[in-house]
Amino acid sequence: MRILLIDNNDSFTRNLEHLLVRAVRQACADVRVDVLGHSSMPRKFDSWDMIVISPGPGAPRDYAGYGAVMDSGLPVLGVCLGMQIINVHFGGSVDRLADCVHGKTDTIRYNDRTMSVARYHSLYCSTVGKGLRVAAANDAGVPMIVAHESRPVMGMQFHPESFLTEHGEYFIHDALQRIVRS
């Protein structure tokens, strides 16, 4: 499996790369992850099987050019800012939280499991874009996982690559099953 990880200048990108390699190797025989910066994003994506949009500072409006990623037809997974970029692409909105949650854990219920996840964000998906559904939210109703109803697109507001997330590999495996194999 060939994965393009688009780095939005986040300190967690290499952790995410390592988690992707570890998780995908358990599911597949071989994996290659290419990490390219947002400013080096290619126009064609036929060299990859999946695209991952990394976390990063700022807001989705600061990162132009993701329309081609969403329209590539490839499975797309967005993490934190990546989920917000997905949401805005489909017409949703992103607003500021009442308080920042940097390096804090939260509990979500997903696939009939209750798990602790790491949050590092001050923005959130306040309205969910067309075709997206909330697959998991925290107790305050903040969307933590969104998935497109008919396209291979999924976003996670939390950081599965953080050591504070209890079962990071579980979330990557689940994303692979849902968006790559759909």
Side-chain angles (χ1 to χ4, degrees):
M1 169 177 258
R2 299 162 302 161
I3 298 174
L4 171 60
L5 172 57
I6 301 172
D7 179 11
N8 292 310
N9 298 316
D10 192 80
S11 60
F12 278 91
T13 299
R14 292 297 176 183
N15 292 354
L16 184 56
E17 177 189 11
H18 290 265
L19 177 63
L20 287 165
V21 168
R22 192 173 58 237
V24 174
R25 277 189 180 151
Q26 290 177 0
C28 304
D30 190 26
V31 61
R32 184 183 90 206
V33 178
D34 297 322
V35 181
L36 295 177
H38 173 260
S39 60
S40 303
M41 189 168 24
R43 294 182 183 185
K44 293 185 175 181
F45 303 98
D46 26 350
S47 296
W48 296 280
D49 302 307
M50 177 183 185
I51 301 171
V52 178
I53 306 171
S54 86
R61 67 178 174 274
D62 303 328
Y63 298 89
Y66 275 105
V69 169
M70 302 303 168
D71 296 335
S72 69
L74 292 174
V76 177
L77 173 64
V79 175
C80 199
L81 172 68
M83 174 173 143
Q84 296 165 10
I85 288 170
I86 289 169
N87 189 50
V88 168
H89 175 78
F90 288 103
S93 59
V94 171
D95 287 308
R96 188 164 296 284
L97 289 167
D99 296 312
C100 292
V101 282
H102 288 271
K104 301 196 181 219
T105 57
D106 202 347
T107 301
I108 65 169
R109 182 123 183 106
Y110 182 65
N111 288 341
D112 296 323
R113 295 175 64 174
T114 301
M115 293 178 275
S116 181
V117 297
R119 296 174 63 193
Y120 298 85
H121 61 112
S122 56
L123 303 176
Y124 76 108
C125 298
S126 53
T127 58
V128 177
K130 185 175 181 182
L132 295 174
R133 65 173 179 77
V134 177
N138 70 359
D139 288 344
V142 174
M144 290 287 118
I145 298 176
V146 297
H148 199 278
E149 294 172 348
S150 61
R151 295 173 65 174
V153 176
M154 183 177 215
M156 299 174 185
Q157 182 59 70
F158 58 90
H159 286 241
E161 75 281 9
S162 170
F163 73 96
L164 294 173
T165 296
E166 274 184 310
H167 305 288
E169 287 183 30
Y170 170 82
F171 290 106
I172 298 300
H173 282 285
D174 184 73
L176 290 171
Q177 288 178 344
R178 290 181 185 269
I179 63 175
V180 174
R181 303 196 195 286
S182 63

